[in-house]
Amino acid sequence: MIYMAMRLALFSLMRNKVRAVLTVLGILIGVAAVVASSAIGAGAKERIESQFASLGVNVLMVWPGASAAGGARGAAGSGSGLTEDDARAIAIEVPSVSASAPILTASAQVVSGARNWSTRVYGSTPDYFRVRSWNTTDGAPFTESDLRTSAKVCVIGTTIQRELFAGESALGATIRVGRMPCTVIGVLEGKGQSGFGQDQDDLIVVPMTTFRTRVSRRPGRDVGFVMVSARDPALMARAESAMTALLRQRHRLAPADENDFTVRNMADVVKSFDAQRAAITTLLLVVASISLLVGGIGVMNIMLVSVTERTREIGIRLAIGARARDILAQFLVEAVVLAAIGGLAGLGLGAGASVIVGKTTEWKVSLQADTAILAVLVSGGIGVVFGFFPARRAARLDPIVALRHE
């Protein structure tokens, strides 16, 4: 009976092609919108996670507090409350921390032969590469020995290699960073843009001691910020709490005093970005759902028109022995087939639109199999829900009245 009902449904749709296409459009657009928005949203989530993962594994950032002068407070990070000793104490005294790297930064013009480039120079310790899980593709990072001797060596990013050496090997070459000549001992693997849109490969890393004496000529032990790596993602909250307690003790803060530093958990930043992405995706899905609802109403409307046009046919079928449930099944299957065709076409259109958006904007998209299956099932469900009333109306027709219908 289902096979016959499907044949009759397809025959009826082929008999009214234009009307069927117009009815399918509502479902098609709704399903395509759901699939495309879901794919783009999933791709955005993967992109955000990969960009923040490129900062390092389980990273926490410690910034100095705000500066104060004449009663006016500066921005967060403008103070000078962090030192190299703080970074060393965090690595030694906080069990949930695997590494800690103090960092100073400055802008500098770097020159190699006839080429030059403006970039950021980072002064840090060998732990910087551990915290950021950053390996070299050529050469090796500097060592503790280089740090102790203030060696004039540097590790460069792929952007610097491209701009100064046209992509050729830079290992062993001498470049000038500001006024300091230094030897390139390593080239870092490419990481691309960060979650904040910065080119992570546009940098030069030198030993902290070299940075202080030859790049910024900044005496003392103060640092710009500290990057810390927790041993495990589950330990990040514990590490944050322990670091806060340790730094308050080291800075001799009273219980009522505010922290003169800020600890930022990058996992919380990722969650914040993900929450914004989820809100936008939800909004798109709501709009797409409204389109599906409109498409379902269109299916019901067309099916009611079909019942009216085929009243005499229904009467003949009832008169020669068809049961009410047969008529119900015929029209219900017809509505489901109509909606399913729209769902499958919408699935193809949504997937194609996602791919086009990904290629034109270089935005990663991720079509989820469960979303695709759910979209088709929902379209079939729309056929059942919105097709039931017209099918029930057809099944309840009186054979005699239906036969007299003109």
Side-chain angles (χ1 to χ4, degrees):
M1 292 298 297
I2 296 296
Y3 173 72
M4 289 299 299
M6 290 188 68
R7 286 190 61 186
L8 288 171
L10 290 172
F11 177 75
S12 175
L13 294 177
M14 291 299 294
R15 194 169 54 185
N16 299 281
K17 295 179 183 178
V18 175
R19 188 169 69 187
V21 169
L22 293 175
T23 305
V24 162
L25 277 178
I27 304 292
L28 184 151
I29 293 172
V31 171
V34 169
V35 172
S37 60
S38 176
I40 294 172
K45 180 179 180 180
E46 291 181 13
R47 183 184 178 93
I48 290 170
E49 289 177 347
S50 65
Q51 286 179 337
F52 277 98
S54 67
L55 291 174
V57 180
N58 314 326
V59 170
L60 299 103
M61 309 280 286
V62 187
W63 296 86
S67 61
R73 289 175 60 85
S78 59
S80 56
L82 291 177
T83 66
E84 293 181 51
D85 299 324
D86 288 331
R88 184 176 294 106
I90 289 172
I92 295 173
E93 300 182 34
V94 180
S96 51
V97 167
S98 61
S100 174
I103 298 170
L104 283 171
T105 66
S107 297
Q109 198 76 16
V110 292
V111 180
S112 175
R115 294 174 175 267
N116 69 90
W117 184 253
S118 179
T119 188
R120 295 292 296 178
V121 181
Y122 286 68
S124 190
T125 65
D127 280 339
Y128 174 80
F129 306 102
R130 287 182 56 200
V131 171
R132 296 205 59 185
S133 303
W134 211 343
N135 299 319
T136 55
T137 56
D138 200 5
F142 52 80
T143 63
E144 290 289 343
S145 175
D146 296 324
L147 189 67
R148 287 193 302 270
T149 59
S150 301
K152 292 186 285 186
V153 295
C154 61
V155 180
I156 66 174
T158 55
T159 299
I160 305 299
Q161 182 184 30
R162 183 182 68 245
E163 297 298 334
L164 294 187
F165 300 95
E168 297 180 359
S169 176
L171 196 64
T174 298
I175 63 175
R176 193 172 76 248
V177 179
R179 296 181 178 180
M180 177 190 73
C182 66
T183 303
V184 178
I185 61 171
V187 179
L188 296 166
E189 63 184 4
K191 280 183 177 276
Q193 285 191 341
S194 69
F196 305 101
Q198 298 174 331
D199 182 3
Q200 298 183 85
D201 303 316
D202 188 5
L203 85 168
I204 295 176
V205 188
V206 301
M208 175 70 78
T209 50
T210 306
F211 184 95
R212 286 190 185 280
T213 57
R214 300 181 182 276
V215 177
S216 69
R217 303 189 183 280
R218 180 174 176 175
R221 304 283 290 175
D222 288 346
V223 297
F225 60 98
V226 178
M227 294 187 75
V228 180
S229 177
R231 294 187 182 278
D232 188 86
L235 298 175
M236 291 189 71
R238 185 186 302 177
E240 182 177 353
S241 177
M243 286 163 49
T244 300
L246 174 64
L247 290 176
R248 286 186 63 86
Q249 179 185 0
R250 289 184 55 83
H251 295 183
R252 295 182 175 85
L253 298 177
D257 293 340
E258 293 184 3
N259 292 338
D260 60 354
F261 58 90
T262 302
V263 180
R264 292 181 182 174
N265 189 333
M266 299 310 294
D268 293 338
V269 178
V270 174
K271 288 179 182 177
S272 176
F273 273 89
D274 196 41
Q276 295 176 23
R277 176 207 60 82
I280 295 173
T281 302
T282 301
L283 178 62
L284 293 174
L285 289 175
V286 168
V287 174
S289 300
I290 294 173
S291 179
L292 281 173
L293 178 63
V294 173
I297 294 172
V299 169
M300 183 168 65
N301 186 33
I302 292 301
M303 292 305 300
L304 286 172
V305 172
S306 180
V307 169
T308 302
E309 290 180 346
R310 295 158 62 187
T311 300
R312 187 173 179 82
E313 174 193 329
I314 295 169
I316 293 173
R317 292 196 65 196
L318 290 170
I320 61 176
R323 294 164 296 183
R325 65 182 184 183
D326 297 328
I327 303 299
L328 179 69
Q330 176 188 347
F331 282 88
L332 197 57
V333 168
E334 187 172 323
V336 171
V337 168
L338 193 65
I341 291 174
L344 291 171
L347 175 60
L349 179 62
S354 301
V355 172
I356 292 173
V357 168
K359 288 185 176 180
T360 54
T361 62
E362 296 184 357
W363 185 269
K364 185 178 180 181
V365 296
S366 179
L367 182 61
Q368 307 293 316
D370 54 349
T371 302
I373 295 171
L374 181 62
V376 175
L377 291 177
V378 167
S379 64
I382 287 173
V384 173
V385 173
F386 289 92
F388 181 76
F389 177 71
R392 184 168 173 267
R393 181 175 179 180
R396 287 190 169 187
L397 286 175
D398 187 298
I400 298 175
V401 175
L403 284 170
R404 289 177 178 174
H405 184 78
E406 295 294 337

